[in-house]
């Protein structure tokens, strides 16, 4: 049996996958829980659909724009920190040298052993700034096109997820008849989503499926209890 | 005038701040938008309060548990990647040496200059694994207590934010009378929140205040339009 045990395959979830997960986790959970909660308080499915679609609109825009600004803010933060590193390297190189020495000492590398590395960095200030960004600050250069893509992916995933629990309320006029269908369809969708998410993020798919479904159920149960108590 | 121009003050938003921002951004936006949206469709504030509180319950639980699982998943991912690095260092040290050489070459450090660093890392395999985690993968060791703290912070911030737009509907029975108060109070809260958020995240506070308020307004306008169209 052929084996390739030494191929290094570090998993990093793609940013698109992460954005779909962000949007769909909330999209499948909150509109479903809101609809189930309102089912405990009102009898007309029309109100549930209105509230549900209003929530999907509000949630997708809030999360999408939130994702846009988060990505933009990451990019701004990276740019401002890099300017600061460039300035420090130009104005106080001795202090930056001391920082490199200290950083490498944390990994058991002596000051003498670091000296050739420092000479090489000194010869290329721009590479030195990149080195500090990655090694001192743990920051990576962000992709400039990410913000818009991220916003659309999150919002689209939220809408796709949010429409599933609302479909039965759109078709059936009786809330009592729609609720079990909404629970069943959303339960299936949460389980499938959790399973696929687990495959992408490296978690156990089954554990991920159970966790995702339980979160949706807990959120819905709490919303249901509150709406029934005051409804 | 005393100046300390060379003090290095890299800003990194604390995790607690980040969690409050995550929870409160959505908490101030989505329940407000939902309530405003329903105001376009129903006349009784009771329905708005019921839907709003159900949304706050569902949203806070979904986001809180989502934050919990994200933090746990980060910790699992770190642990599994670190075990892999330890294994690679033990089983294929030559490959790992080549990776360190290549990493440092990206910053203009020659293979000869890297040699003393590699000798030092070889002497301490555990530090070598830490070095690879940080430098090759850009991962930092997560705090084990973070998951629960993160969940409670996000959920609490969501609830705190979500109650503000709902208060006027709880006090005033007429939706038409409550809506302007809800808009005013939430607008003020969004602006203040955006300003403080900007101070913490290093963005321009005023720009951040405007952005945060605009997002809330856009989400609410979309929800309002949809609810009125179908309500």
């Amino acid at each position: 049996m052929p084996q390739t045990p030494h191929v290094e395959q570090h998993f990093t979830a793609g940013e698109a996958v992460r954005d779909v997960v962000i949007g769909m986790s909330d999209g499948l959970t909150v509109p479903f829980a809101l609809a189930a909660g309102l089912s405990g308080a009102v009898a007309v499915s029309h109100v549930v659909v209105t509230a549900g679609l209003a929530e999907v609109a509000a949630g997708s825009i809030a999360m999408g724009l939130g994702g846009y600004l988060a990505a933009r803010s990451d990019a701004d933060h990276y740019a401002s920190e890099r300017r600061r590193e460039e300035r420090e390297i130009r104005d106080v190189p001795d202090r930056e040298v001391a920082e490199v020495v200290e950083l490498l000492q944390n990994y058991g590398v002596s000051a003498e052993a670091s000296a050739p590395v420092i000479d090489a960095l000194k010869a290329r200030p721009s590479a030195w700034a990149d080195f500090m960004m990655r090694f001192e600050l743990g920051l990576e250069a962000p992709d400039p096109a990410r913000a818009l893509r991220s916003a659309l992916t999150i919002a689209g995933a939220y809408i796709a997820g949010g429409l599933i629990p609302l479909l039965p309320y759109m078709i059936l006029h009786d809330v009592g008849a729609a609720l079990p269908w909404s629970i069943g369809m959303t339960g299936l969708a949460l389980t499938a989503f959790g399973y696929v998410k687990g495959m992408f993020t490296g978690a156990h798919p089954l554990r991920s499926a159970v966790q995702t479904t339980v979160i949706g159920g807990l959120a819905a149960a709490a919303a249901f209890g509150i709406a029934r108590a005051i409804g």
Side-chain angles (χ1 to χ4, degrees), chain A:
Chain A
M1 201 170 116
Q3 286 195 358
T4 53
H6 292 319
V7 175
E8 202 157 357
Q9 290 179 308
H10 290 286
F11 175 82
T12 36
E15 286 174 343
V17 170
R18 213 191 57 128
D19 288 338
V20 167
V21 167
I22 289 174
M24 195 161 280
S25 297
D26 274 32
L28 273 173
T29 309
V30 183
F32 164 63
L34 172 65
L38 280 179
S39 301
V42 299
V44 204
S45 65
H46 191 67
V47 174
V48 175
V49 172
T50 304
L53 289 181
E55 208 287 333
V56 169
S60 60
I61 291 177
M63 288 200 78
L65 279 176
Y68 180 84
L69 292 181
R72 279 286 306 276
S73 155
D74 282 352
D76 289 349
H77 184 229
Y78 186 90
S80 96
E81 292 293 338
R82 197 171 189 296
R83 281 194 299 274
R84 183 194 291 270
E85 286 297 348
E86 285 169 1
R87 211 163 48 229
E88 302 283 342
I89 286 167
R90 193 184 61 230
D91 297 344
V92 284
D94 293 349
R95 180 194 296 266
E96 294 295 302
V97 164
E99 283 182 9
V100 176
V101 169
E102 197 186 321
L103 278 171
L104 290 171
Q105 269 172 346
N106 292 338
Y107 299 98
V109 179
S110 67
E112 296 75 43
S114 307
V117 171
I118 285 163
D119 289 340
L121 291 176
K122 274 182 172 168
R124 284 177 57 190
S126 172
W128 191 1
D130 288 335
F131 182 94
M132 299 308 282
M133 292 303 289
R134 177 77 189 243
F135 211 18
E136 188 198 2
L137 302 178
L139 294 176
E140 307 210 33
D143 172 0
R146 167 149 164 66
L148 183 61
R149 210 170 48 220
S150 180
L152 295 176
T153 309
I154 292 174
Y158 194 97
I159 293 169
L163 290 180
I164 292 173
L166 299 181
L167 269 180
Y169 296 97
M170 294 179 191
I171 295 164
L172 302 168
H173 288 282
D174 181 53
V175 166
L179 179 59
W181 282 98
S182 180
I183 292 174
M185 284 173 59
T186 310
L188 274 179
L190 280 169
T191 307
F193 167 65
Y195 193 91
V196 173
K197 185 178 76 173
M199 283 166 44
F200 271 102
T201 57
H204 287 285
L206 276 178
R207 201 175 95 186
S208 171
V210 171
Q211 280 179 340
T212 309
T213 312
V214 166
I215 289 182
L218 282 177
F224 189 86
I226 284 185
R228 170 133 314 170
I230 63 169

